[in-house]
Amino acid sequence: MVDIRTVAVVGAGQMGGGIAHVSAMAGYDVILQDVSLERAQQGVERIAANMARQVASGKLSEADKAASIARISAADGVKALAKADLVIEAATEEEAVKRRIFQQICPELKPEAILATNTSSISITRLASSTDRPEQFVGIHFMNPVPVMKLVELVRGIATSDETFQAARGFSSNLDKVTTISEDFPGFIVNRILMPMINEAIYTLYEGVGSVESIDNSLRLGANHPMGPLQLADFIGLDTCLSIMQVLHDGLADSKYRPCPLLVKYVEAGWLGRKTKRGFYDYRGETPVPTR
Ligand SMILES: CC(=O)CC(=O)SCCNC(=O)CCNC(=O)[C@H](O)C(C)(C)COP(=O)(O)OP(=O)(O)OC[C@H]1O[C@@H](n2cnc3c(N)ncnc32)[C@H](O)[C@@H]1OP(=O)(O)O
Ligand SMILES: NC(=O)C1=CN([C@@H]2O[C@H](COP(=O)(O)OP(=O)(O)OC[C@H]3O[C@@H](n4cnc5c(N)ncnc54)[C@H](OP(=O)(O)O)[C@@H]3O)[C@@H](O)[C@H]2O)C=CC1
């Protein structure tokens, strides 16, 4: 079994950053790659800011923060991935983007390196088939925010070897995560259940049943959810929510997964939630302001 010491993360957004964060804290050397060196460096800066929150709340010492940050390097191009024992793809939730990444990076990887994807919904078997190593390909699905959420969903493709699966399980437990196993169906377990709820909340808004505030307060205070569904949608990213609904709709061919037209419209407008400062809330001020 490959001895995982160096982990590369492709995609330095909120999830890639979180995966790099917890991997470095667990003692792995981490290479963070994005579309440019500058984007990767911005990712490292965001990780430092998130670690500073953990220092402020006493969860991490200054010394451990410094040592963890020192283990992360921002990559200048795909050649930097040659050192990795495990590569975790955490780029945008679009199958074409992920396929292009695998085509680009596979020739650079060690033959024994394991390739994993953090996809929220896309078939692991299908993604694996666009790589040169379907047996060494696996789904390792982290939850957002990665440093806080306990769960990792593990998903085998049809060709995933036992050795690869055990390596993914061992890696996740070294990060102190609890793993569940999902079969390779659209959205796996978490998003098969969570995303239709979020989509229904958007329909509830679209049909005028309640305002943004009423819908979120109803679920926060009435069902003890830590965030209301619209707040959570903004947190996940509305582009990601829409992509997941499209995968569920296409893959399960059932009209109950039809993405709400309001979700489609928001994404078309470039209102993607917190990451663009506008979604169901406006994030430009000190506190988020509901927009409907
Ligand atoms: C789409 C998919 O494919 C799958 C998914 O991920 S679905 C999304 C799953 N995630 C959820 O459902 C999240 C639901 N929300 C929550 O659990 C909480 O609102 C939350 C943990 C995000 C924030 O909690 P909160 O109490 O409102 O805010 P806050 O006080 O800022 O944060 C709580 C703690 O988390 C820490 N934290 C939050 N985000 C963090 C980050 N990115 N990095 C490090 N620490 C973080 C804070 O430092 C804080 O720590 P202390 O308690 O030690 O102070
Ligand atoms: N958001 C969530 O709550 C969760 C998301 N996921 C999954 O994690 C993945 C990433 O999501 P998330 O972090 O939220 O998305 P983000 O939009 O925050 O980050 C995606 C990152 O990937 C980068 N990227 C795009 N194309 C490439 C490329 N060719 N090479 C390298 N990097 C690239 C983007 O760069 P640029 O901005 O320049 O396009 C961006 O920095 C998705 O598959 C998503 O489904 C899984 C669990 C939870």
Side-chain angles (χ1 to χ4, degrees):
M1 193 184 291
V2 62
D3 182 17
I4 301 173
R5 288 166 187 268
T6 301
V7 177
V9 182
V10 179
Q14 54 180 342
M15 293 306 291
I19 296 165
H21 177 143
V22 296
S23 301
M25 273 178 53
Y28 293 99
D29 289 325
V30 178
I31 301 159
L32 187 59
Q33 199 251 330
D34 203 283
V35 288
S36 64
L37 174 61
E38 198 185 22
R39 284 305 258 268
Q41 284 166 336
Q42 285 164 359
V44 178
E45 281 161 24
R46 273 194 303 271
I47 295 170
N50 282 329
M51 285 187 183
R53 290 168 72 163
Q54 293 177 303
V55 170
S57 63
K59 294 217 169 93
L60 185 68
S61 70
E62 269 294 351
D64 285 345
K65 176 189 166 212
S68 300
I69 286 291
R71 280 193 280 271
I72 307 176
S73 59
D76 189 6
V78 289
K79 295 242 178 281
L81 305 184
K83 274 191 257 155
D85 306 303
L86 168 66
V87 177
I88 305 176
E89 173 280 314
T92 313
E93 186 73 349
E94 276 180 39
E95 191 163 336
V97 170
K98 293 185 187 297
R99 282 177 175 270
R100 229 177 298 125
I101 288 173
F102 297 140
Q103 271 157 16
Q104 258 182 359
I105 69 173
C106 280
E108 309 298 336
L109 305 184
K110 292 184 196 172
E112 67 274 24
I114 291 176
L115 187 49
T117 175
N118 185 51
T119 179
S120 294
S121 59
I122 301 168
S123 163
I124 302 302
T125 297
R126 216 162 55 227
L127 289 176
S129 74
S130 68
T131 76
D132 60 355
R133 59 194 73 206
E135 302 78 14
Q136 287 157 239
F137 191 91
V138 64
I140 307 183
H141 181 210
F142 289 84
M143 305 295 136
N144 187 12
V146 181
V148 178
M149 305 298 281
K150 285 302 289 179
L151 184 74
V152 166
E153 227 172 12
L154 295 178
V155 190
R156 286 170 193 267
I158 197 165
T160 308
S161 70
D162 281 346
E163 207 178 58
T164 299
F165 189 77
Q166 293 313 334
R169 202 194 320 239
F171 170 71
S172 307
S173 83
N174 288 346
L175 304 184
D176 202 23
K177 300 297 183 193
V178 174
T179 52
T180 52
I181 299 174
S182 169
E183 290 301 320
D184 189 16
F185 276 79
F188 316 125
I189 295 174
V190 170
N191 285 320
R192 173 79 176 260
I193 299 169
L194 179 69
M195 214 39 79
M197 183 203 69
I198 287 177
N199 195 46
E200 199 60 31
I202 303 171
Y203 269 114
T204 309
L205 179 69
Y206 181 59
E207 291 171 10
V209 182
S211 65
V212 167
E213 207 166 15
S214 301
I215 292 166
D216 276 350
N217 280 342
S218 297
L219 273 289
R220 271 194 321 106
L221 307 177
N224 261 4
H225 290 198
M227 286 176 164
L230 300 173
Q231 192 187 4
L232 183 56
D234 276 358
F235 181 63
I236 291 168
L238 301 188
D239 51 342
T240 303
C241 292
L242 177 59
S243 296
I244 297 169
M245 284 312 299
Q246 283 164 337
V247 169
L248 290 172
H249 194 226
D250 293 348
L252 298 165
D254 190 325
S255 62
K256 74 179 176 181
Y257 300 110
R258 188 169 74 102
C260 179
L262 188 62
L263 174 61
V264 176
K265 201 159 259 189
Y266 270 47
V267 172
E268 285 173 351
W271 297 349
L272 307 183
R274 281 201 201 182
K275 61 184 162 188
T276 59
K277 298 207 182 300
R278 165 93 208 221
F280 295 108
Y281 293 82
D282 183 331
Y283 298 92
R284 284 172 300 179
E286 283 237 319
T287 47
V289 179
T291 56
R292 276 170 185 256

